[in-house]
Amino acid sequence: MTTLDAFSYGVPAESDFGYSQAIRSGELIHVSGQVSFDDAGEFLHPGDFAAQLERTYANMDKILDHYGATRRQIVSQTLYLVNLHRNAAATMAGNLRYFGDHRPASTVLGVAELTMPGQVVEISFVVDTKLPA
């Protein structure tokens, strides 16, 4: 029988919306869309794509750390971007910095808007903890 291991930051949005930041099922960790928020759940850097992307990657690392996983174990990601064409180059550069030579499956979607006013990026991903760290 598979047991579930859910992870939450304890921020209001989790209880308001009814979700976990991540949930582990067997060897896989499914991670909800990460955004630019601080430890208290306050949204940071409205409208600033580069700053939001950097903070979103930092939040991704917090989840990986919680599960003892690494970026090299991320097997897929989905990026949601407002103003896709304007932010494409920054997205590519940020992705290469974050992953180095690791190449997870990746889908990038342009969207009209995201949940928070001024939010321009969100990233969800899947981790396979059976892979070498």
Side-chain angles (χ1 to χ4, degrees):
M1 181 167 126
T2 299
T3 59
L4 300 177
D5 174 12
F7 171 76
S8 294
Y9 290 115
V11 298
E14 295 164 346
S15 59
D16 292 348
F17 191 73
Y19 76 101
S20 298
Q21 294 294 331
I23 192 160
R24 182 180 189 153
S25 176
E27 302 299 330
L28 296 180
I29 303 165
H30 299 269
V31 182
S32 296
Q34 294 300 293
V35 302
S36 178
F37 62 87
D38 63 16
D39 293 336
E42 295 297 317
F43 181 69
L44 303 173
H45 315 297
D48 184 337
F49 184 83
Q52 283 187 40
L53 186 62
E54 182 177 329
R55 184 62 189 215
T56 299
Y57 282 136
N59 288 340
M60 290 168 62
D61 284 341
K62 288 179 186 180
I63 291 173
L64 292 169
D65 288 345
H66 171 79
Y67 288 104
T70 71
R71 297 171 185 183
R72 298 193 70 74
Q73 293 170 302
I74 295 174
V75 293
S76 67
Q77 66 173 342
T78 303
L79 295 89
Y80 304 89
L81 307 178
V82 175
N83 298 317
L84 173 64
H85 296 290
R86 182 180 339 156
N87 295 315
T91 301
M92 289 184 283
N95 195 66
L96 290 171
R97 273 192 313 274
Y98 185 76
F99 285 108
D101 65 354
H102 178 56
R103 299 290 183 261
S106 184
T107 300
V108 180
L109 301 168
V111 298
E113 62 183 0
L114 292 163
T115 305
M116 305 299 293
Q119 181 184 352
V120 292
V121 63
E122 186 164 330
I123 305 173
S124 63
F125 59 102
V126 176
V127 179
D128 185 342
T129 60
K130 207 167 188 173
L131 294 174

